[in-house]
Amino acid sequence: MNKKRTQFKVAYILDSFPNTSETFISDEILSVMELGIEVVIFSLNRPKSNVQHLRISEILKETKIIYLSQQSKKNKLKALCQRLLLHRFKTTTVLMKLMHNGQESWKSSNAFSYASLIENEGVDHIHAHYADVASQTAMVISSMTGLPYTFTTHGYDVFVSPPLNYRNLVLNSKKMICISEFNKNYLMTKYDLPTSKIEVVHCGIYVNDYIKHNKKQISTKGQSVKILTVARLLKIKGHSYLFKALKRLFDEGKISKRFTLTLAGDGPEYESLVKQANKYGFENNIKFLGFQTQDQVAKLLAQCDFFVLPSLSEGIPISLMEAMASNKLVIAPNVNGVSELVVDNETGFLFQPGNSKDLGDIIGKVIRSPDGFSEITTAATEKIRQNFSRIENSKKLISLWRASK
């Protein structure tokens, strides 16, 4: 890794690292390190899987991960007493805030044990991902140490399971980072947040990883069309609606039985989806590959004809960025911040989430006109290059960190 040190050190506080489904976090960490930021990672939990993306090994060569084990009540009390002896007034103030804020802040009660560890690392700034235990912990540690903190919100922590003290979490931070304008506007309205506290920084990808593979176009009129979906096998990802859309197309004679749908991703809906595929007679058409590394996904994108993301809810998906950078036509749900990435009929196609007929109609249109979308795919690739570069967006993030010092 070629980089120039900039005498600035950031502590990342994360729920679990490395997490195979959160490549946007590992890519962000690697990119800020490439830009000269020294990083130390504090992981509240150990990863559930030992499988790692290639970039994780690059990160581990240059920094360390400190796993913060959950503390017993006895150790929590001991750490609290030590903080009270050393910093009586500040610790008492933090305790009062925790009591006032209720259950959300008490999720981070282990922070009393972690504060000294972070102080000993000599960091300049704390950054967390997701408005959950990691960000709550960052807030408490910041209150005890005086270190500034920022945190990035995504999708689940915005729309599905937001913390009860969202406003307090934001107001105590230097900045809350949103991954889309949609999320920013939603949070500002819902929690009456000041604009000055919120910035939009897109996740972004290493664009060249995908551009180098982007040569293959749809070569047939649907007789052996290859469709790719990259998403965890969760109900909210909407695979079932994609299966229904393909079944209708087949029943209407608009798609051949020689089509292939490749699913990259694992998750708890695997058995249910296999059962549905078999019910529709698609056992030889739908391939369940399970978890795939970033490099494997790039190769799958190179081999497919077009990309479908059938989700019911999304933030601004990395998988769509990867497909668009690979010069693949994308079909995506018109939900939340997706339209900031996919502009209908300009950089891809949008359908109404949960509407298998709408989705099927668009897939049918793509299959009928395989050579008619080069302008769309070219525009999509250029949009990713211009607005969703991992390095360029990390430069913006770093400037926000530095401004808070």
Side-chain angles (χ1 to χ4, degrees):
M1 184 190 304
N2 295 320
K3 60 184 185 301
K4 182 180 179 180
R5 290 293 184 195
T6 58
Q7 303 301 314
F8 194 85
K9 189 172 183 178
V10 174
Y12 270 85
I13 300 181
L14 305 169
D15 289 333
S16 175
F17 187 86
N19 191 323
T20 55
S21 64
E22 295 177 344
T23 57
F24 49 89
I25 294 179
S26 55
D27 280 4
E28 177 185 291
I29 292 173
L30 182 62
S31 64
V32 299
M33 291 170 63
E34 290 173 339
L35 291 167
I37 300 299
E38 188 174 355
V39 169
V40 58
I41 301 168
F42 291 87
S43 179
L44 303 180
N45 300 287
R46 291 188 175 274
K48 295 179 181 179
S49 171
N50 292 323
V51 179
Q52 294 183 359
H53 297 285
L54 292 175
R55 290 199 173 94
I56 299 299
S57 60
E58 295 183 54
I59 292 172
L60 295 179
K61 289 177 184 177
E62 300 292 333
T63 190
K64 61 182 175 181
I65 303 175
I66 299 173
Y67 289 102
L68 303 170
S69 59
Q70 298 301 306
Q71 303 292 309
S72 66
K73 290 183 179 180
K74 180 179 179 180
N75 286 338
K76 285 182 184 180
L77 182 60
K78 181 180 178 180
L80 174 59
C81 290
Q82 290 174 338
R83 296 298 302 187
L84 281 168
L85 286 172
L86 294 172
H87 310 284
R88 183 176 180 179
F89 177 77
K90 185 174 288 188
T91 305
T92 302
T93 301
V94 173
L95 271 174
M96 295 299 291
K97 286 183 177 179
L98 285 173
M99 293 173 67
H100 176 73
N101 291 334
Q103 66 182 55
E104 291 293 343
S105 292
W106 277 112
K107 290 179 182 178
S108 59
S109 56
N110 286 308
F112 291 105
S113 306
Y114 306 155
S116 295
L117 289 174
I118 288 183
E119 284 180 318
N120 292 339
E121 286 294 326
V123 304
D124 300 292
H125 189 87
I126 300 170
H127 188 69
H129 275 267
Y130 293 102
D132 54 11
V133 181
S135 293
Q136 303 287 345
T137 301
M139 179 175 67
V140 175
I141 291 176
S142 175
S143 297
M144 287 189 288
T145 64
L147 289 168
Y149 78 96
T150 49
F151 67 102
T152 299
T153 59
H154 293 273
Y156 185 85
D157 55 333
V158 175
F159 305 107
V160 180
S161 183
L164 298 176
N165 65 335
Y166 226 127
R167 179 175 168 81
N168 188 53
L169 191 62
V170 176
L171 295 181
N172 280 285
S173 71
K174 289 297 180 178
K175 293 284 184 181
M176 174 176 69
I177 311 300
C178 290
I179 61 172
S180 69
E181 292 289 343
F182 183 95
N183 286 14
K184 174 184 175 180
N185 293 332
Y186 173 85
L187 289 168
M188 284 178 58
T189 301
K190 185 172 179 64
Y191 298 103
D192 189 25
L193 299 171
T195 305
S196 60
K197 280 290 186 178
I198 309 175
E199 295 285 344
V200 174
V201 179
H202 298 304
C203 290
I205 61 173
Y206 283 87
V207 180
N208 288 337
D209 287 359
Y210 302 92
I211 288 179
K212 66 185 180 183
H213 294 296
N214 66 6
K215 296 179 181 179
K216 184 179 181 294
Q217 298 292 329
I218 302 175
S219 57
T220 73
K221 293 197 174 183
Q223 295 306 299
S224 58
V225 67
K226 297 178 181 178
I227 308 168
L228 176 66
T229 294
V230 180
R232 291 210 67 212
L233 303 182
L234 306 171
K235 284 186 178 180
I236 202 168
K237 295 300 182 180
H239 295 85
S240 176
Y241 295 97
L242 176 55
F243 289 13
K244 290 177 183 177
L246 293 172
K247 179 66 165 62
R248 187 174 70 84
L249 287 173
F250 175 72
D251 288 345
E252 294 175 356
K254 295 177 181 178
I255 191 170
S256 164
K257 198 68 180 284
R258 287 194 289 159
F259 82 89
T260 301
L261 170 62
T262 300
L263 304 179
D266 55 14
E269 289 300 301
Y270 171 75
E271 290 185 4
S272 174
L273 290 171
V274 169
K275 185 177 180 180
Q276 184 181 4
N278 292 343
K279 177 183 176 182
Y280 290 166
F282 290 162
E283 59 271 18
N284 296 321
N285 303 90
I286 299 178
K287 299 180 179 180
F288 294 83
L289 299 187
F291 166 77
Q292 299 290 290
T293 65
Q294 285 172 296
D295 188 56
Q296 288 171 324
V297 168
K299 291 176 181 177
L300 289 171
L301 283 164
Q303 297 163 5
C304 78
D305 292 315
F306 60 93
F307 183 91
V308 179
L309 185 65
S311 305
L312 303 178
S313 180
E314 283 289 351
I316 188 163
I318 292 292
S319 61
L320 284 177
M321 298 178 199
E322 294 169 342
M324 292 164 72
S326 300
N327 203 36
K328 299 300 175 179
L329 187 69
V330 298
I331 302 173
N334 189 7
V335 62
N336 300 342
V338 171
S339 61
E340 294 172 40
L341 184 62
V342 181
V343 179
D344 196 30
N345 287 295
E346 293 184 17
T347 58
F349 292 112
L350 295 174
F351 68 93
Q352 291 306 308
N355 189 327
S356 58
K357 181 180 184 305
D358 192 22
L359 175 56
D361 288 344
I362 295 173
I363 292 174
K365 178 172 69 173
V366 170
I367 292 173
R368 288 193 303 271
S369 305
D371 302 316
F373 307 107
S374 59
E375 289 186 7
I376 290 179
T377 56
T378 298
T381 300
E382 187 58 25
K383 182 168 188 174
I384 300 302
R385 191 199 300 271
Q386 293 294 326
N387 300 318
F388 295 92
S389 159
R390 179 63 272 171
I391 292 295
E392 293 305 314
N393 286 316
S394 289
K395 288 178 182 178
K396 182 177 180 180
L397 182 62
I398 290 169
S399 70
L400 295 174
W401 290 346
R402 288 186 174 281
S404 66
K405 188 175 179 181

